[in-house]
Amino acid sequence: LARGSNFNILRFYNEAYILESLWQHAFNRGCEQQKHDDNLTILNNHKAFRELWTRKEPTALPNSLWFGVLDLAQNLSRQTVQPVNLALCYYLGLESLQKSQCYYIQFKSLELLISLSYQEPKWFKDIVQEEIEKFIEVLPVNSHLKFKNLIHDINQKLQLNNEFLEHFSIDYEKKSIIKNNMPDKTSNPLLKIVVENFTCKITGQITGDFLILSCCGNTVSRDAINKWESVSISENKLFKCPFCRSEIKMESIYSLAQNAMIKGLYKRLAQMKGEQISDDDLSLTINKMNVFEIHKSSKSLSS
Ligand SMILES: [Zn+2]
């Protein structure tokens, strides 16, 4: 995003834009996966899998993008200082693990999940362990050992990686960004912060269609702003920000569409929110915009 008066406010949302894009690319590929059964066979073949690592040229397989997405998420999770982004990386890993039938993607999803439990053990250690056990349980018995070995290797890889980074002290003095312990395990605090993230502070509805108000950096759903604007016009009042009370100028509103994440998390969100999220709301949200589309009357963000 361009440097300018709104640079700092928008910078706070950079990771949200990146995460949306990662979700978009992971699961667009995921949906196509059923059509690539041949490729799946290749990927699940041990020899071919090993060759992937020894080949010199970059791989051009259908799941390479998905693999890269998970790798980027793992990097992002190391850098972020926003707990909700850690939760979104976790769910990206978990959804990938559950949706993909490809060994190569399952390996990378597990690496992402296990790296989170090293990084923030209080939040992730138990929950990741639990999900991995659930995942192994439904696998055919003859592949249990294979997966346990894989998890062992991933742990070793991550431990070596951490030792390496500590040894060369490559900017790895990262402190925990989680202030409190996992509170009540039954209420799923990870999902709670995700739900909070996607709930409009004005309407109380879950949506992926937010606007960033650059006056104070708060986000609000497009629905709320549209209604608020028409009320202001009909009552002949100034169109004021509901948070900081300064006048809202249309050219300083930026779109923050997060529809791929809403779509990917829909089942989990619906479970948490009960009936407050309907299919109609969701399809409306999904059809409205692409992630980088900017509000109609706003100025261009690209420099
Ligand atoms: Zn404001």
Side-chain angles (χ1 to χ4, degrees):
L1 298 174
R3 282 175 190 273
S5 54
N6 297 326
F7 177 67
N8 278 331
I9 281 170
L10 292 170
R11 193 171 60 172
F12 180 81
Y13 293 100
N14 275 357
E15 289 174 357
Y17 284 114
I18 293 169
L19 278 164
E20 169 66 14
S21 181
L22 295 181
W23 275 79
Q24 227 172 26
H25 288 95
F27 298 115
N28 279 346
R29 308 296 296 182
C31 298
E32 290 164 23
Q33 209 198 354
Q34 303 305 331
K35 298 170 205 156
H36 293 286
D37 279 346
D38 292 347
N39 286 315
L40 265 183
T41 323
I42 296 168
L43 283 172
N44 285 330
N45 174 309
H46 261 263
K47 189 163 169 275
F49 183 69
R50 274 201 307 274
E51 278 170 4
L52 220 53
W53 304 102
T54 51
R55 243 185 274 161
K56 282 187 184 122
E57 72 275 10
T59 56
L61 292 156
N63 287 305
S64 300
L65 181 62
W66 197 349
F67 188 95
V69 159
L70 293 166
D71 198 47
L72 287 170
Q74 200 178 325
N75 275 312
L76 192 146
S77 72
R78 266 188 232 128
Q79 319 261 332
T80 189
V81 291
Q82 300 174 44
V84 65
N85 293 343
L86 278 186
L88 290 167
C89 288
Y90 166 77
Y91 282 113
L92 180 67
L94 189 59
E95 287 285 320
S96 299
L97 179 67
Q98 292 167 347
K99 282 200 173 123
S100 173
Q101 282 138 37
C102 163
Y103 193 51
Y104 177 55
I105 297 302
Q106 288 167 350
F107 151 75
K108 193 64 203 176
S109 315
L110 286 166
E111 191 187 339
L112 169 58
L113 294 174
I114 295 171
S115 76
L116 287 169
S117 60
Y118 277 101
Q119 204 181 308
E120 298 285 354
K122 280 178 189 160
W123 264 35
F124 292 104
K125 203 167 180 247
D126 292 349
I127 203 168
V128 164
Q129 182 69 26
E130 213 173 283
E131 290 296 343
I132 290 175
E133 275 164 21
K134 263 194 245 166
F135 179 76
I136 294 180
E137 241 167 59
V138 295
L139 292 175
V141 182
N142 60 2
S143 52
H144 283 194
L145 186 65
K146 188 175 98 174
F147 259 89
K148 283 184 181 148
N149 287 337
L150 179 68
I151 287 159
H152 175 261
D153 292 347
I154 290 169
N155 273 302
Q156 284 214 310
K157 184 185 172 208
L158 288 168
Q159 280 162 13
L160 274 173
N161 195 39
N162 287 346
E163 275 171 33
F164 177 82
L165 290 173
E166 271 166 33
H167 184 72
F168 292 97
S169 60
I170 306 173
D171 193 24
Y172 203 62
E173 287 302 304
K174 195 178 175 236
K175 289 188 189 99
S176 172
I177 61 167
I178 310 292
K179 296 284 180 304
N180 22 357
N181 291 352
M182 197 84 152
D184 176 11
K185 280 192 184 163
T186 50
S187 66
N188 197 346
L190 281 179
L191 196 55
K192 223 180 212 170
I193 60 168
V194 172
V195 168
E196 220 168 86
N197 184 62
F198 291 115
T199 303
C200 171
K201 290 180 200 121
I202 303 294
T203 66
Q205 294 284 318
I206 286 191
T207 176
D209 196 9
F210 280 100
L211 299 172
I212 303 168
L213 304 171
S214 59
C215 42
C216 53
N218 277 295
T219 53
V220 67
S221 66
R222 183 179 301 271
D223 261 4
I225 278 294
N226 287 344
K227 281 178 196 149
W228 189 244
E229 189 186 15
S230 51
V231 168
S232 303
I233 291 169
S234 70
E235 292 181 0
N236 205 17
K237 284 179 183 160
L238 262 185
F239 183 33
K240 278 183 183 167
C241 169
F243 302 100
C244 71
R245 317 296 304 164
S246 56
E247 193 189 347
I248 297 176
K249 297 194 178 87
M250 289 316 263
E251 69 270 16
S252 56
I253 295 178
Y254 299 97
S255 168
L256 179 69
Q258 307 181 93
N259 299 325
M261 288 194 276
I262 284 284
K263 200 175 158 193
L265 289 162
Y266 169 57
K267 276 195 188 138
R268 295 178 200 278
L269 293 175
Q271 234 173 19
M272 184 94 176
K273 265 268 181 174
E275 284 157 29
Q276 290 182 45
I277 175 167
S278 71
D279 282 345
D280 284 350
D281 286 347
L282 186 76
S283 57
L284 263 178
T285 301
I286 287 169
N287 291 333
K288 263 182 193 162
M289 303 185 74
N290 291 321
V291 57
F292 289 116
E293 198 179 323
I294 291 157
H295 191 264
K296 277 181 219 119
S297 48
S298 70
K299 61 191 166 193
S300 171
L301 286 174
S302 54
S303 52

